[in-house]
Amino acid sequence: GGGSDLTGGIRENIIAFWNVHKNKILLIVVLGFIIYAPSLPNGFVSDDLPLLRSPDLKNPVNLLINEPVSAFINSLTYTLNYYANGTNPLGYHLVNILFHILLTLVAYFFLSLLTKERIAFLASLIFLVIPLHSETVIWVSGRHYILYSIFVLLSLILHLFAAEPETPTKYRLWSVIFFVFAVYSFPEQGLVLPFLLVLVDFYQGKLRQRLKYYWPYLLLATVFTFLSLNRVLLRVQEINGDVTQLSSPQINFVLADIVAISTYLQLFLIPLGLTFYHEAVSTNSLEIIIRSLVLILLIGVPLYFIKRNRFFLLSVGIFIIALLPTITPFRVSWIVAERYAYLASLGLAMLAAYFVNLAVEKLKPSLMPKYLFIATIIIYSLFTFMRGFDWKDEDSLWLATIKTSPTSS
């Protein structure tokens, strides 16, 4: 429950949001820059190098000509970087950091429409600093994960406004346009949007009355899926033929998903063992049983409370839906990669914020929950700050990776 009143236009709501919460917004901006400052002087690593040599860098229109569905908008941002400051990595890192901060602010506004302001703010602060995001933000090639996430949340925000009575038709149109932008930032991931629309409308108890708005999204999703088949098949061949894929040759996809989802939960809470390459999946029976029980709890609790508290379902739903493209039976991805959990971890941040808020309310007048939360944010921020040095260049990245994942060498 909770959330802002959506009466008035979107512009009025954004201005009111700024006027009321400007100090918190400025805190997010300043903290975001501080924790990612060490990555600004970093070089290019791994997939960044082929990106710089690609002919698409100078002319991304080639992408549109060669592929009907591609990450054209993401490529366009690299092109703008290139024409602004050539191949100096600083500009590329700066844009990634700016996008991450922008997404955090968009998430703050989005959540304030759905839940209590304090939960929205706490969740945004957690999302900003968690070390699990460091790979996506620090790695220039991780940008498409941030970019598609911005457009997905903007599309959801416009959908919420467009669903209100007597709102301009342009809100619905912009919601659909942002969906297209999400797909053209990252095709496979952008297609999760229709599922998130259903989830948000169900959370608000307005699913039935909003069904009529879904057809443009579903039509476009069908067309994009059909046009992307060739791209996905190539990706499956690439992953399955990659000798560096760190997993058993034909690992059961259910087992892989249990490991992946529980690993993201573990790295979200305790950011130890962050690495560019996650090692082979453990088939230790006890570990698999524990991971399975965690997953059953994660999915079972929201279903149990579905009538009394839909916020659990909204949070876990965002977490699982945003991971869907990477947990399919078709091998289109590694089993675990921290960047896959980028948007998904917003759901986990919402859950964490919910329980922090609950502790603050139930344990009044004690300030202990607030102090513990601040301490956690400081610790997470320090981890993220230090992770920037691991990504300084190829040598430092591989040294850090080998230390955590010895078999990746």
Side-chain angles (χ1 to χ4, degrees):
S4 300
D5 180 15
L6 268 65
T7 51
I10 193 162
R11 188 174 297 167
E12 291 83 353
N13 273 268
I14 291 170
I15 292 166
F17 186 74
W18 162 257
N19 288 336
V20 176
H21 308 302
K22 61 167 81 76
N23 290 341
K24 292 173 182 173
I25 291 167
L26 291 172
L27 172 66
I28 286 170
V29 173
V30 172
L31 185 58
F33 271 114
I34 290 170
I35 61 174
Y36 282 107
S39 71
L40 282 169
N42 288 2
F44 293 113
V45 295
S46 186
D47 292 358
D48 298 344
L49 305 167
L51 172 83
L52 291 174
R53 291 192 287 266
S54 167
D56 298 332
L57 184 66
K58 292 179 185 174
N59 185 10
V61 179
N62 290 337
L63 271 176
L64 280 180
I65 298 164
N66 298 331
E67 287 186 66
V69 180
S70 64
F72 168 70
I73 293 175
N74 185 56
S75 296
L76 193 59
T77 66
Y78 292 132
T79 303
L80 294 172
N81 260 136
Y82 177 75
Y83 284 114
N85 59 337
T87 54
N88 179 354
L90 177 73
Y92 296 78
H93 288 300
L94 179 62
V95 169
N96 271 28
I97 295 167
L98 285 169
F99 280 159
H100 178 60
I101 293 168
L102 174 63
L103 175 64
T104 304
L105 296 174
V106 171
Y108 182 18
F109 182 68
F110 168 64
L111 293 178
S112 73
L113 302 175
L114 297 174
T115 187
K116 292 176 181 173
E117 193 281 328
R118 187 196 278 156
I119 294 176
F121 173 65
L122 296 180
S124 306
L125 203 54
I126 295 165
F127 185 84
L128 177 75
V129 304
I130 51 167
L132 179 60
H133 288 166
S134 54
E135 172 179 296
T136 313
V137 183
I138 297 167
W139 190 29
V140 171
S141 296
R143 183 179 298 175
H144 53 322
Y145 285 92
I146 312 174
L147 205 53
Y148 103 88
S149 303
I150 292 171
F151 291 129
V152 161
L153 291 192
L154 287 174
S155 181
L156 287 168
I157 288 167
L158 268 296
H159 167 73
L160 289 173
F161 277 94
E164 291 299 303
E166 296 174 35
T167 48
T169 319
K170 65 181 179 186
Y171 290 171
R172 173 67 51 211
L173 180 63
W174 273 107
S175 177
V176 174
I177 289 169
F178 284 133
F179 171 43
V180 174
F181 286 177
V183 171
Y184 276 88
S185 297
F186 194 169
E188 296 84 355
Q189 291 285 148
L191 288 167
V192 302
L193 180 87
F195 296 104
L196 292 171
L197 286 175
V198 172
L199 177 70
V200 168
D201 288 344
F202 179 77
Y203 166 73
Q204 291 198 312
K206 295 179 179 176
L207 185 60
R208 194 168 294 168
Q209 66 207 67
R210 290 180 183 171
L211 281 172
K212 60 181 180 286
Y213 299 127
Y214 294 164
W215 68 266
Y217 305 95
L218 296 174
L219 181 66
L220 284 167
T222 306
V223 171
F224 289 143
T225 303
F226 181 73
L227 292 174
S228 301
L229 285 176
N230 196 42
R231 177 189 168 94
V232 172
L233 287 171
L234 286 171
R235 179 71 179 150
V236 171
Q237 287 171 343
E238 183 189 324
I239 286 284
N240 290 337
D242 193 336
V243 291
T244 62
Q245 166 63 320
L246 306 173
S247 69
S248 324
Q250 288 300 320
I251 188 156
N252 179 308
F253 96 91
V254 176
L255 179 64
D257 289 351
I258 289 168
V259 170
I261 295 167
S262 55
T263 299
Y264 298 135
L265 188 60
Q266 182 186 331
L267 291 172
F268 173 86
L269 291 169
I270 306 159
L272 299 172
L274 294 173
T275 176
F276 192 42
Y277 279 112
H278 283 267
E279 293 195 316
V281 170
S282 164
T283 46
N284 175 313
S285 302
L286 181 63
E287 188 183 322
I288 296 299
I289 289 167
I290 293 167
R291 288 179 181 274
S292 302
L293 289 173
V294 167
L295 202 56
I296 290 165
L297 269 176
L298 189 69
I299 294 165
V301 170
L303 294 175
Y304 179 75
F305 286 104
I306 200 160
K307 287 193 174 146
R308 278 176 288 171
N309 190 337
R310 287 186 178 180
F311 190 77
F312 294 151
L313 186 73
L314 179 69
S315 307
V316 174
I318 288 172
F319 176 54
I320 301 292
I321 289 169
L323 285 175
L324 281 179
T326 66
I327 55 175
T328 64
F330 314 104
R331 297 314 318 277
V332 291
S333 60
W334 305 93
I335 289 173
V336 174
E338 288 154 30
R339 56 194 176 275
Y340 297 167
Y342 184 72
L343 179 59
S345 63
L346 179 62
L348 297 180
M350 288 160 64
L351 272 183
Y354 176 86
F355 287 112
V356 171
N357 180 63
L358 192 67
V360 169
E361 288 180 352
K362 296 286 183 196
L363 300 175
K364 275 180 182 171
S366 169
L367 294 174
M368 189 54 74
K370 286 184 181 177
Y371 291 145
L372 283 173
F373 178 76
I374 292 166
T376 305
I377 290 295
I378 291 168
I379 291 165
Y380 281 177
S381 297
L382 286 169
F383 266 94
T384 301
F385 184 85
M386 295 309 294
R387 189 78 175 122
F389 298 106
D390 289 344
W391 285 78
K392 183 175 177 289
D393 51 37
E394 287 273 348
D395 291 343
S396 63
L397 177 62
W398 293 120
L399 279 171
T401 303
I402 288 163
K403 205 189 300 180
T404 314
S405 313
T407 62
S408 65
S409 56

